[in-house]
Amino acid sequence: MTQSILIALGVLIVVLTVVAVFDLLPPLRIVPDVTHFDFTRFRRISFPISAALSILAIVLFFTHGLNFGIDFKGGTLLEVQSKSGSADIGAMRASLSNLGLGDIQLQQFGGPADVLIRVAEQPGGDAAQQAAVQKVRGALGDSVEYRRVEVVGPRVSGELLAYGMLGMMLAIFSILIYLWFRFEWQFALGAMIANVHDIVLTIGFMSISQVDFDLTSIAALLTILGYSLNDTVVIYDRIREMLRRYKKMPMPQLLNESINSTLSRSIITHVTVTLALLALLLFGGQAIHSFTAVMVFGALLVGTYTSIFIAAPILIYLGVGEHREAPDTPVKKPDTPAKK
Amino acid sequence: MLYFSRWKALAIILTAVIVCLFAVPNFFSQERVKTWPVWAQRHIVLGLDLQGGSYLLLEVDSNYVKKEKLDQVRDEVRRVLRDAKIGYTGLAVRADAVEVRVKESDQQAALTKLRELSQPLGGLLGSSGQRSLEVSDAGGGLFRLTVPQAAITERIRQTIEQSIQIVERRINELGTVEPLIQRQGTDRILVQVPGLQDPTDLKRILGQTAKMEFRMVDPSVSPDQVQSGRGVPADSEVLMSEQSPKVPYVIKRQVLVSGGDLTDAQPGFDQRTNEPIVNFKFNSSGSRKFAQATSENVGQPFAIVLDNKVISAPVIREPITGGQGQISGNFTVQAANELALLMRAGALPAPLTVIEERTVGPGLGQDSIEKGKLAAYVGSIMVIAFMLLTYRLFGVFANIAVAINVAMIFGILSLLNATLTLPGIAGVVLTVGIAVDSNVLIYERIREELRGGRNAISAIDAGFRRALATILDSNITTFIAAAVLFYIGTGPVRGFAVTLGIGIITTVFTAFTLTSLIVAGWVRWKRPKTVPI
């Protein structure tokens, strides 16, 4: 199965390369060469929507909460595979609930034989967690294969959470400082607002979908951050260039031109990253499933929306281009060739 | 941008080729690679999540270390005051301090003696001005000796260092492959054992301090008498037996010989009863002490005590002068093996607790590798196909650059002996997505410049020049995120940060050098009037 998929794809590549080299097909154009969407006008809609969504996400975070994985909550997680074909979750639950370990969750994971067992953190410190996992192993015995066992003690989980949060803040601030050096402070601030917006919405998504929030989620959040910034920086770069070149263009129009001229790049890059993420989501297995799911939501949906509808227009409110000349002076068409 | 001197071109190609070559050892088996020169042996290490194995994080019990330290101070105080013939009362450890009371007339002498116990921290090089002990006069002849935090931290550091040696010895005795044992933070030890499926035995072996003592059984009181309410003599204590049913013994506090005097211990079988036993040997001082003790106490029972539990309490039939002996305590073969191992490896200076454990079975690891590979292939091929469809000839250029890019990532990972984890594979796939972004940025810019009315060569040149600044800016921000992730992350997450970070570096490298080199070569060869982009 795997073999044939790969061979098919390999053949596809060879054919496409030949087609490409000998110019046998017209190039694929996803986005027309020149677009004139009025993106900035949407700021009157997009800002309230974003504000509402962010508030919703925060409310969700406090009411619904996040589904903290054992990395941050402490406790025990076992991934077991029944040796006799499909697993009898009912029987497993019955034998485990007699152990007096409090809340034990069992959940089918991947195939019919795979079961994920979560044991809540036991009172009594690190030694108690070890005793709990020993009891579970004892109760299940040799009827299953232990594919993964993770035990996180109370102190470690607290530290991991603290480090994770610290890391997020550290990342945001170091990027802020870098952008401040490279651009003006308004850009740095705009990027940071966009950033926080991304993270808040993604956390809202995690709250609704109740995916495990663990160390890999922090990795996903940081990648979303980096990726969304990547996008924002590309647009900002263009805005800066336009600001220098067209001294008299009014700000909303300038932003529109900047977004439009980078639009085909944004979309093509999104397609490539989507292809990569889809492959991970479909074939990467359960272990990185929640990681990629969060990335698809955060990087592709929220990140793109943020760069275009928040990060760019917010510059107007942050006072970029305030001292530009009056907009009623004739505006140069941006499509005229740049002077060399 | 489009002109490269011959030397520069050569340097770029050479760098890329050399970096890619470092990835070669990964395609050969471990045994094969071992026969190569050392510099060529570097290869990527698979993380525990891919090859299976156990990860344990152990923490030393710092309260125990602190208490031990205070007990030691108390004993020293007793010794010093006795030697100086100063009478004292109420010598004890009370709430993080050692307290002692002396008579009014002796106060000055006592203070001088006690101050002598305090030494500068950090030996001869100690410049911190910190001392190992602080003596304070609470008035009325009461002295309080406290151990400063710096001294306790120093003690914990030493304890960890000793513990690491013992842990290493114990794990190596288990015969595992390439275990990784290293210190983490100030009071923790990280243990990684690749391939270990069930860490139960490992945890049991590491969870014992294995303090071994040979002591006499106190014949003056029987355990039954103690249980019926009779007091235990001051120089004895009640210890329980190791094996169930738990039986109490009254054991003298004095230690005849301790585990530190052992030179060897091996499991074996008793020739008469055929039950598993442990044979042990003492060093010369241990032999001497043991010979003296056994010849003085023929006919009396003595006890072999491990971590304050009595393993066995045989009666001494004759003086044991050869420095050898055997322990028989109704062992199973496994228990005898373990005891011998613990006796050989020595005692831990303080108890260790497992505070984090992650074990991945070989089945899951193999599954993860296969799934990760499949996802990586499918993802890359789809991206490659899309680039070909969109940019045609320039898509071929981009794909060559991306292929070299990925090869370079693996080359650098090998060079660093870095660990590849499942999220790390995800990082590589994501890098492929981001790497083509640099090409997309360049190509879209070229197209824009062409629309702006430039001729082919000038458009290509301007496209590269303008896009590269953007590429640098956008990649540095992602790199900062990766760096932070590396700093805070452990295990699999760190693996992700490593591949993402390296991926960004190689992406910027290929965008600035290889992609432009390829396009420049094409321009020189074809002298194009139009750009098929």
Side-chain angles (χ1 to χ4, degrees), chain A residues 72-98:
Chain A
F72 300 142
K73 203 171 54 177
T76 303
L77 181 142
L78 296 99
E79 189 186 326
V80 299
Q81 189 172 53
S82 168
K83 285 180 181 166
S84 57
S86 72
D88 185 353
I89 293 192
M92 277 170 128
R93 181 172 286 130
S95 71
L96 292 179
S97 59
N98 291 332

Short mmCIF file of all heavy atoms in Angstrom, two decimals, chain A residues 72-98:
data_model
loop_
_atom_site.label_atom_id
_atom_site.label_comp_id
_atom_site.label_asym_id
_atom_site.label_seq_id
_atom_site.Cartn_x
_atom_site.Cartn_y
_atom_site.Cartn_z
N PHE A 72 1.21 18.77 32.10
CA PHE A 72 0.94 19.93 32.93
C PHE A 72 0.08 19.62 34.14
O PHE A 72 -0.02 20.43 35.06
CB PHE A 72 0.25 21.02 32.09
CG PHE A 72 1.07 21.47 30.93
CD1 PHE A 72 0.49 21.76 29.72
CD2 PHE A 72 2.45 21.61 31.06
CE1 PHE A 72 1.26 22.18 28.65
CE2 PHE A 72 3.21 22.02 30.00
CZ PHE A 72 2.62 22.31 28.78
N LYS A 73 -0.59 18.47 34.11
CA LYS A 73 -1.53 18.17 35.18
C LYS A 73 -0.94 17.13 36.12
O LYS A 73 -1.38 16.96 37.24
CB LYS A 73 -2.82 17.62 34.55
CG LYS A 73 -4.04 17.77 35.39
CD LYS A 73 -5.29 17.39 34.58
CE LYS A 73 -5.15 16.01 33.96
NZ LYS A 73 -6.38 15.60 33.25
N GLY A 74 0.06 16.44 35.63
CA GLY A 74 0.60 15.33 36.39
C GLY A 74 -0.29 14.12 36.23
O GLY A 74 -1.43 14.23 35.79
N GLY A 75 0.22 12.95 36.58
CA GLY A 75 -0.57 11.75 36.46
C GLY A 75 0.10 10.74 35.55
O GLY A 75 1.30 10.85 35.26
N THR A 76 -0.68 9.77 35.12
CA THR A 76 -0.13 8.66 34.38
C THR A 76 -0.90 8.46 33.09
O THR A 76 -2.12 8.59 33.08
CB THR A 76 -0.22 7.37 35.21
OG1 THR A 76 0.46 7.59 36.44
CG2 THR A 76 0.43 6.21 34.51
N LEU A 77 -0.20 8.17 32.03
CA LEU A 77 -0.83 7.89 30.76
C LEU A 77 -0.24 6.61 30.21
O LEU A 77 0.97 6.45 30.17
CB LEU A 77 -0.59 9.06 29.80
CG LEU A 77 -1.18 8.97 28.41
CD1 LEU A 77 -1.68 10.35 28.01
CD2 LEU A 77 -0.20 8.48 27.39
N LEU A 78 -1.10 5.67 29.83
CA LEU A 78 -0.61 4.44 29.23
C LEU A 78 -1.29 4.24 27.89
O LEU A 78 -2.51 4.40 27.78
CB LEU A 78 -0.91 3.22 30.10
CG LEU A 78 -0.28 3.13 31.48
CD1 LEU A 78 -1.28 3.58 32.53
CD2 LEU A 78 0.17 1.71 31.77
N GLU A 79 -0.51 3.92 26.88
CA GLU A 79 -1.10 3.53 25.61
C GLU A 79 -0.85 2.04 25.47
O GLU A 79 0.30 1.60 25.42
CB GLU A 79 -0.44 4.31 24.47
CG GLU A 79 -1.12 4.11 23.14
CD GLU A 79 -0.37 4.77 22.00
OE1 GLU A 79 0.24 5.84 22.22
OE2 GLU A 79 -0.38 4.20 20.91
N VAL A 80 -1.93 1.27 25.46
CA VAL A 80 -1.74 -0.18 25.41
C VAL A 80 -2.42 -0.73 24.17
O VAL A 80 -3.36 -0.14 23.64
CB VAL A 80 -2.32 -0.88 26.67
CG1 VAL A 80 -1.61 -0.40 27.92
CG2 VAL A 80 -3.80 -0.66 26.79
N GLN A 81 -1.91 -1.88 23.73
CA GLN A 81 -2.49 -2.54 22.58
C GLN A 81 -2.82 -3.96 23.00
O GLN A 81 -1.96 -4.68 23.49
CB GLN A 81 -1.49 -2.55 21.43
CG GLN A 81 -2.07 -3.03 20.13
CD GLN A 81 -1.09 -2.84 19.00
OE1 GLN A 81 0.05 -3.28 19.08
NE2 GLN A 81 -1.52 -2.19 17.93
N SER A 82 -4.09 -4.31 22.83
CA SER A 82 -4.52 -5.64 23.24
C SER A 82 -3.85 -6.69 22.36
O SER A 82 -3.73 -6.52 21.15
CB SER A 82 -6.03 -5.75 23.12
OG SER A 82 -6.41 -7.08 23.25
N LYS A 83 -3.38 -7.76 22.99
CA LYS A 83 -2.70 -8.79 22.21
C LYS A 83 -3.69 -9.71 21.51
O LYS A 83 -3.34 -10.45 20.62
CB LYS A 83 -1.79 -9.62 23.12
CG LYS A 83 -0.52 -8.86 23.49
CD LYS A 83 0.36 -9.68 24.40
CE LYS A 83 1.62 -8.91 24.77
NZ LYS A 83 2.32 -9.54 25.88
N SER A 84 -4.97 -9.65 21.95
CA SER A 84 -5.96 -10.57 21.38
C SER A 84 -6.89 -9.82 20.43
O SER A 84 -8.10 -9.87 20.56
CB SER A 84 -6.77 -11.21 22.50
OG SER A 84 -7.38 -10.18 23.27
N GLY A 85 -6.32 -9.11 19.48
CA GLY A 85 -7.17 -8.41 18.52
C GLY A 85 -7.76 -7.16 19.11
O GLY A 85 -7.05 -6.30 19.58
N SER A 86 -9.11 -7.06 19.13
CA SER A 86 -9.70 -5.82 19.60
C SER A 86 -9.79 -5.82 21.12
O SER A 86 -9.94 -6.85 21.77
CB SER A 86 -11.09 -5.63 18.98
OG SER A 86 -11.98 -6.53 19.57
N ALA A 87 -9.67 -4.61 21.66
CA ALA A 87 -9.61 -4.48 23.11
C ALA A 87 -10.99 -4.39 23.72
O ALA A 87 -11.89 -3.76 23.15
CB ALA A 87 -8.80 -3.22 23.46
N ASP A 88 -11.19 -5.03 24.85
CA ASP A 88 -12.46 -4.96 25.55
C ASP A 88 -12.37 -3.85 26.60
O ASP A 88 -11.93 -4.07 27.72
CB ASP A 88 -12.75 -6.32 26.22
CG ASP A 88 -14.13 -6.33 26.87
OD1 ASP A 88 -14.77 -5.25 26.91
OD2 ASP A 88 -14.53 -7.40 27.32
N ILE A 89 -12.77 -2.66 26.18
CA ILE A 89 -12.59 -1.50 27.06
C ILE A 89 -13.41 -1.65 28.33
O ILE A 89 -12.95 -1.30 29.42
CB ILE A 89 -12.97 -0.21 26.30
CG1 ILE A 89 -11.96 0.03 25.19
CG2 ILE A 89 -13.00 0.98 27.25
CD1 ILE A 89 -12.02 1.37 24.55
N GLY A 90 -14.61 -2.22 28.19
CA GLY A 90 -15.48 -2.41 29.37
C GLY A 90 -14.80 -3.24 30.44
O GLY A 90 -14.75 -2.87 31.62
N ALA A 91 -14.24 -4.38 30.00
CA ALA A 91 -13.59 -5.27 30.97
C ALA A 91 -12.37 -4.59 31.59
O ALA A 91 -12.11 -4.71 32.79
CB ALA A 91 -13.17 -6.56 30.28
N MET A 92 -11.64 -3.84 30.75
CA MET A 92 -10.46 -3.15 31.26
C MET A 92 -10.86 -2.12 32.31
O MET A 92 -10.24 -2.00 33.35
CB MET A 92 -9.74 -2.43 30.11
CG MET A 92 -8.81 -3.31 29.32
SD MET A 92 -8.31 -2.39 27.87
CE MET A 92 -6.60 -2.52 27.96
N ARG A 93 -11.93 -1.40 31.97
CA ARG A 93 -12.38 -0.36 32.89
C ARG A 93 -12.79 -0.99 34.23
O ARG A 93 -12.43 -0.50 35.30
CB ARG A 93 -13.56 0.41 32.29
CG ARG A 93 -14.06 1.52 33.19
CD ARG A 93 -15.08 2.38 32.50
NE ARG A 93 -14.49 3.26 31.50
CZ ARG A 93 -14.92 3.39 30.25
NH1 ARG A 93 -15.95 2.69 29.83
NH2 ARG A 93 -14.33 4.23 29.44
N ALA A 94 -13.49 -2.13 34.12
CA ALA A 94 -13.94 -2.80 35.34
C ALA A 94 -12.76 -3.21 36.21
O ALA A 94 -12.74 -2.97 37.42
CB ALA A 94 -14.78 -4.02 34.98
N SER A 95 -11.72 -3.78 35.58
CA SER A 95 -10.61 -4.26 36.41
C SER A 95 -9.79 -3.10 36.95
O SER A 95 -9.21 -3.19 38.03
CB SER A 95 -9.74 -5.25 35.63
OG SER A 95 -9.02 -4.56 34.65
N LEU A 96 -9.75 -1.99 36.20
CA LEU A 96 -8.95 -0.86 36.68
C LEU A 96 -9.67 -0.04 37.74
O LEU A 96 -9.04 0.54 38.63
CB LEU A 96 -8.56 0.06 35.51
CG LEU A 96 -7.58 -0.54 34.51
CD1 LEU A 96 -7.29 0.45 33.40
CD2 LEU A 96 -6.28 -0.93 35.20
N SER A 97 -11.02 -0.02 37.67
CA SER A 97 -11.74 0.83 38.62
C SER A 97 -11.70 0.24 40.04
O SER A 97 -11.98 0.94 41.00
CB SER A 97 -13.18 1.02 38.17
OG SER A 97 -13.80 -0.24 38.08
N ASN A 98 -11.33 -1.04 40.13
CA ASN A 98 -11.22 -1.65 41.46
C ASN A 98 -9.93 -1.30 42.18
O ASN A 98 -9.73 -1.70 43.32
CB ASN A 98 -11.31 -3.18 41.35
CG ASN A 98 -12.70 -3.61 40.93
OD1 ASN A 98 -13.67 -2.91 41.23
ND2 ASN A 98 -12.79 -4.72 40.24
#
